[in-house]
Amino acid sequence: MKKNIIAMNASIMIGLGSILAAPSVYAESISNLEKQKESIQEKRSGVESNISDTEKKIDNLQDKQMTAEDQIAALEAKIAESAKKIDAKNAEITQTKKEIEALKEEIKVLKERIAKRNEVLKERALSFQETGGDVNYLEVLFGSSSFGDLVDRVGAVATIAEADRDILKQHELDKKDLEEKQKAVETKLASLEVAKAELLEIQKQQKQQKQEKDALVKKLKQQTKKHEDEKMGLEEEKANLAAQEKAIKSAISLEHQRLAELEAARKKAAAEAKKRAEQEAAQAAAQAASQASQASETKKQSTSSGYSAKSNSSSSSSSSSSSQSSQSSSNVSQAPAVSSGTFTRPSAGYVSSTMGERWNKQHAGIDIAASGTVPVVAAADGVVSRSYFSSTYGNVVFVTHSISGQQWTTVYAHLSSRQVGEGAVVAKGQQVGIMGNTGHSFGQHLHFELHKGPWNYSKSNAVNPLNYIPN
């Protein structure tokens, strides 16, 4: 009997040991979750710093863009002013060319006048040559009939000589005037052409500068767009980190709740064990006083205890069978069976696209395609960190998992509908949505990502899901 009591007490202590061991496991889990929370907080701080740096870059680029646009406006004004000056020079050149045409007419008249004078002079020269010049004048003088006639003839000869000198003088003046006009007009035209060429060169340089500024503005706009996209990604990453931190806090709260329940169970078990030990001690004392009576009573109790154990075993077996039957009947239609590994397959269907390079971009997960109404389930136990509509992911659910001290994040994208909200605690194989074709998607499928750690914009923590889930 004493041996039976010792064995029973040992069994109770083993049970208490299991209960006592469980809190240490949960305490370790809480410690790991706390570390994960601190890691997420550090990453959030880093992302916020990156967002601030990106905003400064965007502001700097926008300032440069505004400066370049102001410079372009100034260059456009200069180009317009140069165009006006070129138009004015063109008008002057046109007018000068008209003057040249008019001068050509004058030159033509002058040339004709000079030609006629040359003819007169040639005739005079020929006459002088044939008659000896002065002899002809003497004949004129000596052929006079009277003194008065002589005077008249002398005056006439003087007038002719003076006229010849005037013709020669005017001839020289006309030639000089013609040469000066030609030189002046040609100089003016050359000067205008030079001025126009200089203006055209200035305008060419201004247009070149404007093209360079236009190219700079285009480049600045592209850089600004790139940083704005980066900022949006960082803000999304910040939101996901905040959601993951919230999920970790929820998980920590659950662990504390479980730890409290275990502590309460431990105290209750200890009290029951103490009470049972006291009862057994009293029974042993009574049995020592009346061994015969106690033996008979012990036999009856043994028979009753055997029947009770058998009844309890049958009841337990029936309950287990009922539970398994209920669990079997509650499997979601078209959902894959929950596997025994760390992660289960998130939906039925075939893998239409694997992880890797696709369309010159990194495809950070796998695509599972199927037709009809296809349930999507959680790949492991966890807390829903985000449940929202994204322009790229469409309807998407993020679940944060803590498995053996390691944080994991699963992503379920392009859903037609979402069945869980942020903060929800989900079990492995629990439905989180329906496969769909929302967001940046071409045909119904599930885009599934697995991240060893938190999700980030660069998706640097992404791992190949096919290495972790059943095919």
Side-chain angles (χ1 to χ4, degrees), residues 33-102:
L33 288 170
E34 290 287 357
K35 289 177 182 176
Q36 291 173 21
K37 184 181 75 173
E38 290 173 2
S39 175
I40 289 172
Q41 288 172 341
E42 288 177 3
K43 287 175 182 176
R44 274 187 68 189
S45 177
V47 169
E48 287 171 354
S49 176
N50 289 338
I51 290 173
S52 177
D53 291 343
T54 304
E55 286 175 344
K56 289 177 182 177
K57 289 178 182 177
I58 291 171
D59 291 340
N60 185 39
L61 287 169
Q62 288 176 341
D63 289 342
K64 288 181 179 179
Q65 184 178 324
M66 289 177 64
T67 301
E69 287 172 348
D70 290 341
Q71 291 171 345
I72 287 171
L75 283 169
E76 286 174 344
K78 288 180 180 179
I79 290 169
E81 184 65 26
S82 296
K84 287 181 181 179
K85 290 179 179 179
I86 290 169
D87 289 342
K89 290 299 176 186
N90 282 330
E92 287 186 58
I93 289 170
T94 301
Q95 182 60 34
T96 303
K97 286 180 177 179
K98 288 179 181 179
E99 291 175 7
I100 289 172
E101 291 299 322

Side-chain angles (χ1 to χ4, degrees), residues 160-219:
I160 291 169
E162 185 66 28
D164 288 343
R165 284 195 298 272
D166 289 341
I167 288 171
L168 290 170
K169 185 178 179 181
Q170 187 62 45
H171 186 70
E172 292 298 326
L173 289 172
D174 287 344
K175 284 177 69 178
K176 185 178 180 181
D177 184 52
L178 175 62
E179 290 172 354
E180 288 177 352
K181 283 185 177 180
Q182 282 182 324
K183 186 177 180 181
V185 172
E186 289 171 356
T187 301
K188 181 179 179 182
L189 182 60
S191 175
L192 289 171
E193 292 290 354
V194 169
K196 179 183 175 182
E198 289 175 352
L199 287 170
L200 287 171
E201 181 61 28
I202 290 171
Q203 189 182 55
K204 180 182 176 181
Q205 292 175 1
Q206 290 169 342
K207 287 182 177 179
Q208 179 65 29
Q209 289 174 356
K210 183 179 179 296
Q211 288 177 352
E212 291 172 358
K213 293 298 179 183
D214 286 337
L216 176 61
V217 168
K218 183 179 179 181
K219 183 179 178 181

Side-chain angles (χ1 to χ4, degrees), residues 69-132:
E69 287 172 348
D70 290 341
Q71 291 171 345
I72 287 171
L75 283 169
E76 286 174 344
K78 288 180 180 179
I79 290 169
E81 184 65 26
S82 296
K84 287 181 181 179
K85 290 179 179 179
I86 290 169
D87 289 342
K89 290 299 176 186
N90 282 330
E92 287 186 58
I93 289 170
T94 301
Q95 182 60 34
T96 303
K97 286 180 177 179
K98 288 179 181 179
E99 291 175 7
I100 289 172
E101 291 299 322
L103 185 59
K104 283 180 180 179
E105 292 298 322
E106 284 186 45
I107 291 169
K108 184 179 179 181
V109 172
L110 285 172
K111 283 182 177 179
E112 289 174 357
R113 192 183 301 164
I114 290 168
K116 287 179 181 179
R117 288 172 183 166
N118 282 335
E119 289 297 325
V120 172
L121 291 173
K122 282 179 184 179
E123 288 176 2
R124 296 278 175 86
L126 182 60
S127 175
F128 289 161
Q129 185 178 4
E130 290 175 349
T131 61

Side-chain angles (χ1 to χ4, degrees), residues 12 15-16 19 263-275:
I12 292 169
L16 283 172
I19 294 173
E263 181 64 18
R266 183 190 67 78
K267 289 180 179 179
K268 183 178 179 181
E272 289 177 352
K274 182 179 179 181
K275 182 178 179 182

Side-chain angles (χ1 to χ4, degrees), residues 237-310:
E237 182 176 349
K238 176 184 174 182
N240 276 298
L241 286 170
Q244 287 178 6
E245 183 181 349
K246 184 178 178 181
I248 292 292
K249 287 179 179 178
S250 175
I252 291 171
S253 177
L254 287 172
E255 294 297 298
H256 278 297
Q257 183 180 343
R258 289 172 187 170
L259 188 60
E261 290 172 354
L262 283 171
E263 181 64 18
R266 183 190 67 78
K267 289 180 179 179
K268 183 178 179 181
E272 289 177 352
K274 182 179 179 181
K275 182 178 179 182
R276 191 177 300 170
E278 290 174 352
Q279 289 175 349
E280 288 174 354
Q283 288 176 359
Q287 287 171 0
S290 182
Q291 185 175 3
S293 176
Q294 183 63 32
S296 176
E297 183 64 21
T298 300
K299 186 176 180 180
K300 289 180 181 180
Q301 286 179 357
S302 176
T303 302
S304 175
S305 176
Y307 175 78
S308 176
K310 186 181 292 184

